[in-house]
Amino acid sequence: MMSSKSVKRISECFIKSLHDLSPEAKQPFHFTPFELPCLNISYSQKGLLFAKPPPSESQDFSITAYLDDLRRSLSATLDHFYPVAGRLVTKKEENPASYVVYLDPENSPGVKFIYATVDATILDILQPADVPVVVRSFFDLNNAISHDGHTLPLLSIQVTELVDGIFIGGSINHMVADGTSFWHFMGAWSEIFKSKEQSRCSISRPPVLKRWLLDGSDPIINLPYTHHDQFIDRLEVPTFTERFFHFSSASISKLKAKANSECNTTKISSLQAVIALLWRIVTRIRRLPEDDETNCRLMISNRRRLNPPLSDDYFGNPISVVKGKATVGELMANGLGWAAFRLHEAVINYTDTSVKESVESWIKSPFIIKLSEIMDRNFIHVGSSPRFDMYGCEFGLGKAVAARSGWLNKDDGKITMYPGREGGGSMDVELCFASSQHMMDLECDEEFIDALSKNVKY
């Protein structure tokens, strides 16, 4: 039984950049108005499950040598992504009053690197209907919020050896990196791992570390606090069930065509069509009153939204949340296309002007997000993206067999999006419910059954 499996930590160490930081790289790394509000946000946890080399090749595979290669290549990667090896610092002054949180790239033990083992197989992880609880132990820092980066590593890598597989999981501070930046880092690490010259290794996509700055604003932001107790807000991680569902490229194409046809448009994207389907179904199985408002919250990157746009290689957390809103009655009475178009409008209406007005407003009156004040049982929250190149990160083991996440930043109605392993526009969706009954109702929902490529989990 998977419930009886436990992960055993064998060793841990800290990894620093291979070469000394330049004088410029040692300077304080200041956060932007996108990132500072996230001091209460939990670390992000994502990882990849790989099969060990087949028996015909396993005689040449040594876990000790493999871990050494991972450590060396990680150190070389930190030459490029050195901020993730730093720590947070708060500088306080009384006259005049000042409270500044920044990243110190230099005074830190580095990135944490853990080797662990578990007496479980790949099938033990992928075969059960629900994601096994043991997967949560494939990640470090399971209770950390971003502010904890003052004393905890900003990035912790855990390599868990299974009987026939290897899981590489990363827990990263959400002020330091969003999903785009995390998978950029993982891709660069995998690229360097494959290189035979790790001591002086260039990468195809160096990160852009220069901070975005609103015209006329000060790069050093003074927060209106004197002590962290004035804004720290820790939420207890709820109990929930997680399950994965697969949407083939063919089923997604049909959903997109249906949504666009219903609205007589071609503007609705594949992702918007899939999320709209999930918004409708989750709302239906919750059996909420028709006059209740429900909203679908989407995490979106501002890199291309800004004018001039930021590079896709901009390293940081330049994200915002947009919402599609409707009453339960409206969402149920109207079709897939209506819901998808609400999401489409929420995204396209969040323009460069919207971003900059939001940033300007925050600068005038800075605040730290308190999740306890914004939680709403009538919403669904969508994170991650099927556009992330997760399966391009191979670390010498070939294509991963699956991507998985930890237990942080999850609650009832949380939806996490992944690319399908076979590519071609396919998607995997991870759904979280506090109620096991809701999960059973989901699998019996006719609209959901009709939309899935196969009515199975994996």
Side-chain angles (χ1 to χ4, degrees):
M1 295 289 292
M2 281 306 297
S3 59
S4 65
K5 305 289 185 182
S6 61
V7 171
K8 181 181 179 181
R9 289 195 177 186
I10 305 300
S11 65
E12 60 181 59
C13 63
F14 286 89
I15 308 293
K16 285 194 169 188
S17 58
L18 187 61
H19 300 97
D20 291 338
L21 297 181
S22 68
E24 181 183 3
K26 293 179 181 180
Q27 298 303 306
F29 192 81
H30 289 286
F31 293 108
T32 72
F34 296 127
E35 295 144 353
L36 282 170
C38 298
L39 279 161
N40 284 320
I41 304 300
S42 297
Y43 275 51
S44 175
Q45 300 176 312
K46 297 291 187 298
L48 296 167
L49 178 60
F50 297 91
K52 283 182 179 176
S56 59
E57 302 173 20
S58 60
Q59 59 202 28
D60 298 324
F61 180 78
S62 161
I63 188 63
T64 301
Y66 184 71
L67 291 170
D68 285 343
D69 286 344
L70 283 175
R71 294 186 191 102
R72 280 195 294 267
S73 56
L74 175 58
S75 179
T77 307
L78 294 178
D79 278 353
H80 304 277
F81 294 82
Y82 58 84
V84 302
R87 289 291 187 277
L88 302 189
V89 174
T90 294
K91 183 179 180 181
K92 293 185 281 187
E93 296 181 358
E94 293 183 357
N95 191 19
S98 174
Y99 191 98
V100 176
V101 179
Y102 64 92
L103 189 156
D104 181 356
E106 185 179 17
N107 297 312
S108 162
V111 170
K112 192 175 181 181
F113 186 93
I114 299 165
Y115 167 54
T117 61
V118 64
D119 184 21
T121 66
I122 289 174
L123 281 181
D124 288 333
I125 304 304
L126 302 185
Q127 202 170 51
D130 298 331
V131 177
V133 175
V134 72
V135 171
R136 300 173 187 178
S137 299
F138 292 176
F139 298 91
D140 190 28
L141 306 177
N142 272 324
N143 295 297
I145 62 172
S146 291
H147 186 269
D148 294 334
H150 285 78
T151 55
L152 296 178
L154 301 180
L155 172 63
S156 182
I157 300 294
Q158 180 171 321
V159 180
T160 305
E161 183 182 11
L162 289 75
V163 173
D164 57 352
I166 291 175
F167 189 91
I168 301 177
S171 302
I172 192 162
N173 191 296
H174 231 323
M175 285 179 62
V176 177
D178 61 0
T180 299
S181 288
F182 174 74
W183 288 108
H184 180 192
F185 168 83
M186 293 291 280
W189 181 17
S190 177
E191 182 181 356
I192 289 176
F193 181 92
K194 289 184 286 187
S195 171
K196 294 181 180 179
E197 282 292 332
Q198 295 179 2
S199 60
R200 289 280 179 187
C201 191
S202 61
I203 53 177
S204 58
R205 294 175 51 210
V208 176
L209 298 175
K210 183 180 179 181
R211 300 294 79 199
W212 176 80
L213 187 65
L214 183 69
D215 289 345
S217 64
D218 192 332
I220 302 176
I221 296 174
N222 181 27
L223 297 173
Y225 306 105
T226 58
H227 194 277
H228 59 261
D229 285 346
Q230 296 170 323
F231 60 82
I232 290 296
D233 183 40
R234 295 182 187 271
L235 293 182
E236 185 176 342
V237 179
T239 301
F240 53 80
T241 300
E242 305 167 79
R243 197 168 290 186
F244 271 77
F245 298 91
H246 180 66
F247 289 80
S248 69
S249 56
S251 64
I252 292 172
S253 294
K254 290 178 181 177
L255 276 176
K256 179 182 177 182
K258 182 174 187 286
N260 278 293
S261 176
E262 288 179 3
C263 292
N264 193 26
T265 183
T266 58
K267 297 178 179 179
I268 296 169
S269 70
S270 297
L271 185 56
Q272 289 161 2
V274 172
I275 294 173
L277 171 80
L278 298 170
W279 184 20
R280 280 170 49 81
I281 294 169
V282 172
T283 301
R284 179 161 51 239
I285 64 178
R286 282 174 167 171
R287 297 179 175 86
L288 301 169
E290 286 198 353
D291 56 353
D292 274 14
E293 182 179 90
T294 175
N295 65 73
C296 180
R297 301 177 185 178
L298 309 176
M299 304 296 297
I300 58 172
S301 170
N302 290 315
R303 289 174 178 81
R304 298 187 184 184
R305 197 156 271 103
L306 288 164
N307 184 21
L310 296 175
S311 166
D312 288 344
D313 300 331
Y314 178 90
F315 193 82
N317 188 38
I319 60 174
S320 295
V321 177
V322 298
K323 302 176 185 177
K325 299 180 181 179
T327 66
V328 172
E330 288 174 331
L331 193 62
M332 295 298 98
N334 294 287
L336 173 72
W338 185 89
F341 201 75
R342 301 288 275 209
L343 299 178
H344 169 75
E345 288 182 318
V347 171
I348 65 166
N349 288 338
Y350 199 71
T351 62
D352 170 73
T353 300
S354 307
V355 175
K356 291 175 179 174
E357 286 178 350
S358 176
V359 168
E360 188 173 16
S361 174
W362 186 89
I363 290 173
K364 290 178 180 177
S365 183
F367 62 90
I368 307 303
I369 296 169
K370 290 190 174 184
L371 294 179
S372 62
E373 297 176 356
I374 62 172
M375 299 302 285
D376 178 355
R377 282 303 176 198
N378 290 1
F379 77 92
I380 68 169
H381 183 91
V382 183
S384 191
S385 172
R387 300 185 179 117
F388 295 155
D389 186 20
M390 301 181 188
Y391 290 101
C393 307
E394 298 191 351
F395 297 101
L397 294 172
K399 193 173 187 177
V401 296
R404 288 294 183 263
S405 60
W407 74 335
L408 295 179
N409 294 307
K410 290 180 179 176
D411 200 353
D412 185 67
K414 173 65 184 289
I415 297 171
T416 308
M417 307 296 297
Y418 302 79
R421 186 178 186 274
E422 73 268 30
S426 62
M427 300 181 195
D428 289 334
V429 175
E430 181 186 37
L431 289 172
C432 294
F433 285 115
S435 165
S436 57
Q437 183 61 51
H438 283 170
M439 193 68 79
M440 288 188 285
D441 291 345
L442 173 77
E443 294 199 307
C444 296
D445 187 276
E446 291 184 7
E447 187 178 8
F448 189 61
I449 293 171
D450 184 60
L452 278 176
S453 54
K454 293 180 180 179
N455 192 31
V456 295
K457 293 76 59 187
Y458 77 99

